[in-house]
């Protein structure tokens, strides 16, 4: 099939590349000329395991192309995906200006019946707004061309997006015509050779499904983090509690790991956007508001533990930070806990030596830009040379089984603050480390 994808950010680039991998002819469109030029040279703007090789392979085989010309894309596609950003507004709502701008461009340039698919994460009712925007442009042209608007939310995990797309747990389709349903079934059929994972529903339910899924996962995280706070105060061990409740098949082990808060492009934005939608319709979402409140406070926990040990004047103290990205296997630092921790400690006079396998450039060029108290190093052990304590914030695989003898040699004192509860307290105490973690007194 001939497919166009408008927007070459995380969702757009992964989606377009995976569709091309299955033999479709895909054109990815972006208004950023420099980004398009780089993509044509094989320069990928994000880190995602396996993506670079797949982009290069499909661009070379001509199943994948990049352009700034939406007219060309409309003339050479049957299905058009909208995959532009929906940044969070000041009031917590999703900003639809880019989605609607693309919709207007589609209406102004389409030349045949078009299946227009919302791939961006958008609030309930967005498909109606997209439909109106496209129709207004067609009316300006006095065109009688027809189109369908479809909701097809993405459920990609950063760090595992290629695997998620190629072998999906489910593909949710919101469509209100048989033709739209059939077109999407045909497009996704190659991804479902073992059994049909396509779930078809009405458009508003599909839009809601994405938000409900992310809100549910965020709720599990905040619930466990709240339990960790209670455990610390009553003298229980949250790690033991997690094992105790996770063994219940009704609960399971996924997303119940205590930590220093969630971040990224999805959970913070989607929970707040869903809460804003609820309030717009006259309902106060008490659980959603609590999920965000708990997460906001949880991001401060590690910094507070450092301050509790060393005091509020951290001048002369240096801390080695392992991990900057909001989760492993990505360079994404949006809403990352590392930002909160590092900014808090450096404002109190501390120096930071930071290491992350992939997110260094993001930190230096944007999220921690201008913070002269942060030094970036090229290895995890270099981050610990001459520091007063180690702070682990992201659970990268290379941090799971470090050489604690080497750590001890490098550091001024054997103190570890662990925001992800990666290690055994008993084992580290035998090695004469002071090990401070989440949810354990």
């Amino acid at each position: 099939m001939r497919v166009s994808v408008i927007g070459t950010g995380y969702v757009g680039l992964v989606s377009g590349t995976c569709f091309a991998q299955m033999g479709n002819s895909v054109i990815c469109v972006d208004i950023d000329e420099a980004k398009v030029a780089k993509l044509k040279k094989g320069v990928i703007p994000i880190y995602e395991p396996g993506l670079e090789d797949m982009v290069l392979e499909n661009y070379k085989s001509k199943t994948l192309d990049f352009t700034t010309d939406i007219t060309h894309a409309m003339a050479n596609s049957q299905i058009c995906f909208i995959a532009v950003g929906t940044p969070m507004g000041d009031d917590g709502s999703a900003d639809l200006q880019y989605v609607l701008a693309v919709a207007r461009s589609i209406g102004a340039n389409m030349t045949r019946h078009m299946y227009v698919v919302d791939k961006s994460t958008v609030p309930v009712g967005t498909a109606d707004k997209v439909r109106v925007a496209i129709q207004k442009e067609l009316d300006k042209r006095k065109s009688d061309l027809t189109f369908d608007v479809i909701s097809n939310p993405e459920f990609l995990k950063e760090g595992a997006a290629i695997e998620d797309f190629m072998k999906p747990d489910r593909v949710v389709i919101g469509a209100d015509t048989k033709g739209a349903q059939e077109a999407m079934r045909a497009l996704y059929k190659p991804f479902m050779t073992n059994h049909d994972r396509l779930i078809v529903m009405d458009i508003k339910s599909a839009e809601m499904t994405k938000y409900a899924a992310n809100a549910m996962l965020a709720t599990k995280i905040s619930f466990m983090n709240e339990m960790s706070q209670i455990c610390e105060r009553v003298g229980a061990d949250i790690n033991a509690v997690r094992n105790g409740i996770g063994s219940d098949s009704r609960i399971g082990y996924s997303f119940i790991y205590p930590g220093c808060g969630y971040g990224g492009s999805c959970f913070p934005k989607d929970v707040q956007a869903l809460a804003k939608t609820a309030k717009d319709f006259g309902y106060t979402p008490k659980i959603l508001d609590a999920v965000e409140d708990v997460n906001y406070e949880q991001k401060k926990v590690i910094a507070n533990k450092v301050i509790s040990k060393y005091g509020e004047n951290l001048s002369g103290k240096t801390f080695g930070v392992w991990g900057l990205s909001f989760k492993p296997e990505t360079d994404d630092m949006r809403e990352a806990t590392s930002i909160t921790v590092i900014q808090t400690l450096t404002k109190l006079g501390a120096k930071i030596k930071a290491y992350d396998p992939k997110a260094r450039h993001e930190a230096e060029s944007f999220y921690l830009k201008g913070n002269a108290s942060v030094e970036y190093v090229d290895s995890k052990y270099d981050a610990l040379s001459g520091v007063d304590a180690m702070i682990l914030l992201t659970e990268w695989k290379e941090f799971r089984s470090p050489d604690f003898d080497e750590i001890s040699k490098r550091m001024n004192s054997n103190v570890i603050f662990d925001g992800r509860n990666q290690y055994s307290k008993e084992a580290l105490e035998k090695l004469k480390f002071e090990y401070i973690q989440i949810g354990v007194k």
Side-chain angles (χ1 to χ4, degrees):
M1 301 181 78
R2 291 175 295 164
V3 177
S4 57
V5 180
I6 315 300
T8 60
Y10 186 84
V11 173
L13 188 56
V14 170
S15 300
T17 303
C18 289
F19 282 133
Q21 184 73 9
M22 287 301 190
N24 297 289
S25 177
V26 179
I27 301 173
C28 289
V29 184
D30 203 291
I31 60 172
D32 188 333
E33 293 183 1
K35 180 190 275 191
V36 168
K38 288 180 179 178
L39 285 167
K40 288 185 174 183
K41 294 177 181 177
V43 179
I44 309 301
I46 58 174
Y47 172 72
E48 179 62 38
L51 180 60
E52 182 175 357
D53 289 343
M54 194 177 285
V55 168
L56 292 171
E57 174 189 339
N58 284 281
Y59 183 69
K60 185 176 181 180
S61 66
K62 301 187 184 304
T63 56
L64 179 64
D65 197 10
F66 302 99
T67 184
T68 58
D69 186 357
I70 194 169
T71 303
H72 169 70
M74 290 297 97
N76 291 279
S77 60
Q78 307 154 273
I79 302 176
C80 178
F81 284 84
I82 300 176
V84 292
T86 53
M88 185 167 59
D90 293 336
D91 60 357
S93 62
D95 186 345
L96 296 178
Q97 62 172 311
Y98 305 113
V99 170
L100 296 179
V102 171
R104 289 191 289 272
S105 294
I106 292 170
N109 292 282
M110 56 187 281
T111 59
R112 57 169 60 84
H113 181 90
M114 187 67 64
Y115 295 106
V116 180
V117 187
D118 283 331
K119 197 69 172 171
S120 302
T121 300
V122 293
V124 176
T126 298
D128 294 337
K129 295 178 181 180
V130 168
R131 185 178 288 110
V132 169
I134 294 173
Q135 190 59 55
K136 280 185 178 179
E137 294 300 317
L138 290 173
D139 291 344
K140 288 180 185 178
R141 296 167 55 191
K142 294 182 170 49
S143 171
D144 59 0
L145 288 172
T146 57
F147 63 95
D148 284 282
V149 177
I150 301 164
S151 175
N152 174 215
E154 56 85 15
F155 298 97
L156 306 177
K157 299 186 294 292
E158 291 193 45
I162 299 296
E163 179 76 9
D164 286 347
F165 202 102
M166 301 299 284
K167 298 177 181 179
D169 293 328
R170 79 287 206 198
V171 175
V172 172
I173 302 296
D176 53 14
T177 70
K178 186 176 180 180
Q181 294 175 17
E182 290 177 348
M184 297 304 285
R185 283 191 182 279
L187 181 62
Y188 277 105
K189 185 178 180 180
F191 298 91
M192 301 182 185
T193 54
N194 291 330
H195 64 273
D196 189 356
R197 299 181 182 88
L198 204 75
I199 303 172
V200 178
M201 59 185 72
D202 64 275
I203 293 174
K204 288 185 177 180
S205 294
E207 291 172 331
M208 183 67 180
T209 296
K210 168 65 174 181
Y211 278 107
N214 279 351
M216 182 69 234
L217 297 175
T219 299
K220 293 182 74 174
I221 294 170
S222 280
F223 175 83
M224 283 305 290
N225 284 335
E226 185 155 275
M227 292 302 101
S228 76
Q229 293 296 316
I230 298 172
C231 283
E232 283 193 28
R233 287 157 175 79
V234 302
D237 183 334
I238 189 62
N239 301 303
V241 172
R242 179 184 64 81
N243 285 328
I245 68 173
S247 58
D248 186 329
S249 61
R250 297 170 301 174
I251 297 172
Y253 288 101
S254 63
F255 285 84
I256 64 166
Y257 287 85
C260 49
Y262 59 74
S265 63
C266 295
F267 289 2
K269 177 171 70 72
D270 292 355
V271 171
Q272 292 182 54
L274 183 55
K276 177 62 166 57
T277 297
K279 291 169 186 175
D280 288 345
F281 282 83
Y283 179 77
T284 301
K286 298 181 181 65
I287 292 176
L288 295 179
D289 286 344
V291 167
E292 265 299 290
D293 290 345
V294 169
N295 192 61
Y296 178 78
E297 294 300 325
Q298 196 70 13
K299 288 184 177 183
K300 303 176 185 178
V301 168
I302 288 294
N304 288 341
K305 288 179 181 291
V306 173
I307 294 166
S308 178
K309 178 172 176 60
Y310 296 105
E312 293 191 357
N313 182 359
L314 297 177
S315 298
K317 297 294 182 184
T318 302
F319 301 102
V321 171
W322 281 12
L324 297 168
S325 57
F326 86 94
K327 62 178 283 188
E329 301 301 329
T330 181
D331 60 355
D332 193 345
M333 282 187 63
R334 284 173 286 186
E335 303 286 336
T337 297
S338 62
I339 301 169
T340 299
V341 172
I342 290 172
Q343 298 287 38
T344 300
L345 298 183
T346 55
K347 283 179 182 178
L348 296 176
K351 300 288 186 182
I352 300 292
K353 287 187 174 183
Y355 170 71
D356 188 284
K358 296 295 178 182
R360 173 176 175 168
H361 175 72
E362 294 293 306
E364 282 185 300
S365 62
F366 188 74
Y367 293 99
L368 296 171
K369 184 179 180 180
N371 191 330
S373 297
V374 182
E375 175 190 353
Y376 300 94
V377 297
D378 295 325
S379 80
K380 59 180 182 283
Y381 296 120
D382 286 346
L384 303 181
S385 295
V387 304
D388 296 287
M390 166 184 152
I391 302 173
L392 189 151
L393 298 175
T394 312
E395 61 273 36
W396 286 92
K397 289 179 182 177
E398 68 172 273
F399 300 158
R400 290 182 184 177
S401 298
D403 183 339
F404 288 105
D405 288 336
E406 181 66 22
I407 290 174
S408 182
K409 289 176 186 176
R410 298 265 187 155
M411 295 168 63
N412 292 338
S413 57
N414 288 355
V415 181
I416 297 176
F417 294 89
D418 187 350
R420 299 297 175 184
N421 290 12
Q422 290 289 285
Y423 309 127
S424 164
K425 184 178 181 68
E426 293 76 14
L428 283 179
E429 287 179 345
K430 286 181 181 178
L431 295 172
K432 307 302 182 184
F433 279 87
E434 182 180 356
Y435 182 51
I436 302 164
Q437 55 184 320
I438 301 286
V440 181
K441 191 171 182 178

PDB file of all heavy atoms in Angstrom, residues 41-57:
ATOM      1  N   LYS A  41      20.489  11.219   4.644  1.00  0.00           N
ATOM      2  CA  LYS A  41      21.900  10.824   4.765  1.00  0.00           C
ATOM      3  C   LYS A  41      22.087   9.731   5.808  1.00  0.00           C
ATOM      4  O   LYS A  41      23.213   9.328   6.094  1.00  0.00           O
ATOM      5  CB  LYS A  41      22.753  12.041   5.133  1.00  0.00           C
ATOM      6  CG  LYS A  41      22.804  13.104   4.042  1.00  0.00           C
ATOM      7  CD  LYS A  41      23.608  14.312   4.510  1.00  0.00           C
ATOM      8  CE  LYS A  41      23.657  15.383   3.438  1.00  0.00           C
ATOM      9  NZ  LYS A  41      24.386  16.599   3.900  1.00  0.00           N
ATOM     10  N   GLY A  42      20.966   9.289   6.419  1.00  0.00           N
ATOM     11  CA  GLY A  42      21.045   8.230   7.417  1.00  0.00           C
ATOM     12  C   GLY A  42      21.310   8.720   8.821  1.00  0.00           C
ATOM     13  O   GLY A  42      21.654   7.925   9.708  1.00  0.00           O
ATOM     14  N   VAL A  43      21.154  10.024   9.056  1.00  0.00           N
ATOM     15  CA  VAL A  43      21.359  10.589  10.390  1.00  0.00           C
ATOM     16  C   VAL A  43      20.008  10.584  11.123  1.00  0.00           C
ATOM     17  O   VAL A  43      19.083  11.316  10.754  1.00  0.00           O
ATOM     18  CB  VAL A  43      21.918  12.026  10.326  1.00  0.00           C
ATOM     19  CG1 VAL A  43      22.093  12.592  11.735  1.00  0.00           C
ATOM     20  CG2 VAL A  43      23.237  12.047   9.568  1.00  0.00           C
ATOM     21  N   ILE A  44      19.892   9.758  12.145  1.00  0.00           N
ATOM     22  CA  ILE A  44      18.628   9.570  12.855  1.00  0.00           C
ATOM     23  C   ILE A  44      18.579  10.510  14.061  1.00  0.00           C
ATOM     24  O   ILE A  44      19.517  10.538  14.862  1.00  0.00           O
ATOM     25  CB  ILE A  44      18.477   8.103  13.319  1.00  0.00           C
ATOM     26  CG1 ILE A  44      18.729   7.140  12.153  1.00  0.00           C
ATOM     27  CG2 ILE A  44      17.100   7.873  13.922  1.00  0.00           C
ATOM     28  CD1 ILE A  44      17.822   7.327  10.977  1.00  0.00           C
ATOM     29  N   PRO A  45      17.491  11.277  14.217  1.00  0.00           N
ATOM     30  CA  PRO A  45      17.439  12.293  15.289  1.00  0.00           C
ATOM     31  C   PRO A  45      17.176  11.745  16.680  1.00  0.00           C
ATOM     32  O   PRO A  45      17.260  12.479  17.657  1.00  0.00           O
ATOM     33  CB  PRO A  45      16.284  13.198  14.838  1.00  0.00           C
ATOM     34  CG  PRO A  45      15.389  12.304  14.049  1.00  0.00           C
ATOM     35  CD  PRO A  45      16.310  11.350  13.338  1.00  0.00           C
ATOM     36  N   ILE A  46      16.827  10.469  16.795  1.00  0.00           N
ATOM     37  CA  ILE A  46      16.539   9.869  18.097  1.00  0.00           C
ATOM     38  C   ILE A  46      17.309   8.558  18.223  1.00  0.00           C
ATOM     39  O   ILE A  46      17.725   7.977  17.218  1.00  0.00           O
ATOM     40  CB  ILE A  46      15.031   9.575  18.280  1.00  0.00           C
ATOM     41  CG1 ILE A  46      14.534   8.632  17.163  1.00  0.00           C
ATOM     42  CG2 ILE A  46      14.225  10.856  18.323  1.00  0.00           C
ATOM     43  CD1 ILE A  46      13.103   8.169  17.339  1.00  0.00           C
ATOM     44  N   TYR A  47      17.494   8.113  19.456  1.00  0.00           N
ATOM     45  CA  TYR A  47      18.087   6.790  19.655  1.00  0.00           C
ATOM     46  C   TYR A  47      16.972   5.796  19.957  1.00  0.00           C
ATOM     47  O   TYR A  47      16.183   5.985  20.878  1.00  0.00           O
ATOM     48  CB  TYR A  47      19.079   6.785  20.821  1.00  0.00           C
ATOM     49  CG  TYR A  47      19.544   5.387  21.148  1.00  0.00           C
ATOM     50  CD1 TYR A  47      20.410   4.708  20.295  1.00  0.00           C
ATOM     51  CD2 TYR A  47      19.068   4.713  22.267  1.00  0.00           C
ATOM     52  CE1 TYR A  47      20.812   3.407  20.567  1.00  0.00           C
ATOM     53  CE2 TYR A  47      19.463   3.414  22.557  1.00  0.00           C
ATOM     54  CZ  TYR A  47      20.332   2.767  21.696  1.00  0.00           C
ATOM     55  OH  TYR A  47      20.713   1.476  21.949  1.00  0.00           O
ATOM     56  N   GLU A  48      16.916   4.770  19.161  1.00  0.00           N
ATOM     57  CA  GLU A  48      15.973   3.668  19.379  1.00  0.00           C
ATOM     58  C   GLU A  48      16.628   2.410  18.819  1.00  0.00           C
ATOM     59  O   GLU A  48      16.985   2.370  17.628  1.00  0.00           O
ATOM     60  CB  GLU A  48      14.650   3.937  18.670  1.00  0.00           C
ATOM     61  CG  GLU A  48      13.613   2.833  18.811  1.00  0.00           C
ATOM     62  CD  GLU A  48      13.184   2.595  20.251  1.00  0.00           C
ATOM     63  OE1 GLU A  48      13.069   3.583  21.003  1.00  0.00           O
ATOM     64  OE2 GLU A  48      12.973   1.416  20.621  1.00  0.00           O
ATOM     65  N   PRO A  49      16.844   1.390  19.643  1.00  0.00           N
ATOM     66  CA  PRO A  49      17.543   0.193  19.174  1.00  0.00           C
ATOM     67  C   PRO A  49      16.938  -0.384  17.896  1.00  0.00           C
ATOM     68  O   PRO A  49      15.731  -0.626  17.821  1.00  0.00           O
ATOM     69  CB  PRO A  49      17.378  -0.777  20.357  1.00  0.00           C
ATOM     70  CG  PRO A  49      17.258   0.106  21.551  1.00  0.00           C
ATOM     71  CD  PRO A  49      16.478   1.303  21.070  1.00  0.00           C
ATOM     72  N   GLY A  50      17.776  -0.576  16.883  1.00  0.00           N
ATOM     73  CA  GLY A  50      17.360  -1.192  15.629  1.00  0.00           C
ATOM     74  C   GLY A  50      16.804  -0.235  14.604  1.00  0.00           C
ATOM     75  O   GLY A  50      16.650  -0.594  13.420  1.00  0.00           O
ATOM     76  N   LEU A  51      16.497   0.994  14.987  1.00  0.00           N
ATOM     77  CA  LEU A  51      15.828   1.917  14.065  1.00  0.00           C
ATOM     78  C   LEU A  51      16.756   2.402  12.955  1.00  0.00           C
ATOM     79  O   LEU A  51      16.371   2.427  11.781  1.00  0.00           O
ATOM     80  CB  LEU A  51      15.266   3.111  14.843  1.00  0.00           C
ATOM     81  CG  LEU A  51      14.531   4.177  14.003  1.00  0.00           C
ATOM     82  CD1 LEU A  51      13.334   3.576  13.290  1.00  0.00           C
ATOM     83  CD2 LEU A  51      14.100   5.339  14.892  1.00  0.00           C
ATOM     84  N   GLU A  52      17.966   2.759  13.301  1.00  0.00           N
ATOM     85  CA  GLU A  52      18.876   3.315  12.300  1.00  0.00           C
ATOM     86  C   GLU A  52      19.111   2.336  11.152  1.00  0.00           C
ATOM     87  O   GLU A  52      19.014   2.714   9.968  1.00  0.00           O
ATOM     88  CB  GLU A  52      20.213   3.688  12.946  1.00  0.00           C
ATOM     89  CG  GLU A  52      21.196   4.311  11.970  1.00  0.00           C
ATOM     90  CD  GLU A  52      22.468   4.783  12.650  1.00  0.00           C
ATOM     91  OE1 GLU A  52      22.568   4.681  13.882  1.00  0.00           O
ATOM     92  OE2 GLU A  52      23.371   5.255  11.921  1.00  0.00           O
ATOM     93  N   ASP A  53      19.390   1.092  11.468  1.00  0.00           N
ATOM     94  CA  ASP A  53      19.643   0.099  10.422  1.00  0.00           C
ATOM     95  C   ASP A  53      18.411  -0.103   9.543  1.00  0.00           C
ATOM     96  O   ASP A  53      18.519  -0.245   8.318  1.00  0.00           O
ATOM     97  CB  ASP A  53      20.045  -1.242  11.039  1.00  0.00           C
ATOM     98  CG  ASP A  53      21.434  -1.204  11.667  1.00  0.00           C
ATOM     99  OD1 ASP A  53      22.202  -0.272  11.353  1.00  0.00           O
ATOM    100  OD2 ASP A  53      21.746  -2.095  12.477  1.00  0.00           O
ATOM    101  N   MET A  54      17.230  -0.097  10.156  1.00  0.00           N
ATOM    102  CA  MET A  54      16.005  -0.312   9.403  1.00  0.00           C
ATOM    103  C   MET A  54      15.697   0.868   8.477  1.00  0.00           C
ATOM    104  O   MET A  54      15.250   0.697   7.340  1.00  0.00           O
ATOM    105  CB  MET A  54      14.832  -0.562  10.351  1.00  0.00           C
ATOM    106  CG  MET A  54      13.599  -1.129   9.676  1.00  0.00           C
ATOM    107  SD  MET A  54      12.251  -1.509  10.826  1.00  0.00           S
ATOM    108  CE  MET A  54      12.875  -3.006  11.595  1.00  0.00           C
ATOM    109  N   VAL A  55      15.964   2.089   8.962  1.00  0.00           N
ATOM    110  CA  VAL A  55      15.765   3.280   8.123  1.00  0.00           C
ATOM    111  C   VAL A  55      16.691   3.225   6.916  1.00  0.00           C
ATOM    112  O   VAL A  55      16.270   3.438   5.770  1.00  0.00           O
ATOM    113  CB  VAL A  55      16.011   4.567   8.941  1.00  0.00           C
ATOM    114  CG1 VAL A  55      16.085   5.782   8.006  1.00  0.00           C
ATOM    115  CG2 VAL A  55      14.908   4.782   9.961  1.00  0.00           C
ATOM    116  N   LEU A  56      17.961   2.946   7.165  1.00  0.00           N
ATOM    117  CA  LEU A  56      18.943   2.902   6.076  1.00  0.00           C
ATOM    118  C   LEU A  56      18.591   1.822   5.053  1.00  0.00           C
ATOM    119  O   LEU A  56      18.688   2.040   3.838  1.00  0.00           O
ATOM    120  CB  LEU A  56      20.341   2.654   6.647  1.00  0.00           C
ATOM    121  CG  LEU A  56      20.931   3.797   7.489  1.00  0.00           C
ATOM    122  CD1 LEU A  56      22.210   3.342   8.177  1.00  0.00           C
ATOM    123  CD2 LEU A  56      21.202   5.006   6.611  1.00  0.00           C
ATOM    124  N   GLU A  57      18.187   0.660   5.538  1.00  0.00           N
ATOM    125  CA  GLU A  57      17.829  -0.453   4.649  1.00  0.00           C
ATOM    126  C   GLU A  57      16.665  -0.085   3.735  1.00  0.00           C
ATOM    127  O   GLU A  57      16.705  -0.330   2.518  1.00  0.00           O
ATOM    128  CB  GLU A  57      17.465  -1.673   5.498  1.00  0.00           C
ATOM    129  CG  GLU A  57      16.942  -2.866   4.702  1.00  0.00           C
ATOM    130  CD  GLU A  57      16.392  -3.963   5.610  1.00  0.00           C
ATOM    131  OE1 GLU A  57      16.755  -4.014   6.801  1.00  0.00           O
ATOM    132  OE2 GLU A  57      15.586  -4.774   5.105  1.00  0.00           O
TER     133      GLU A  57
END
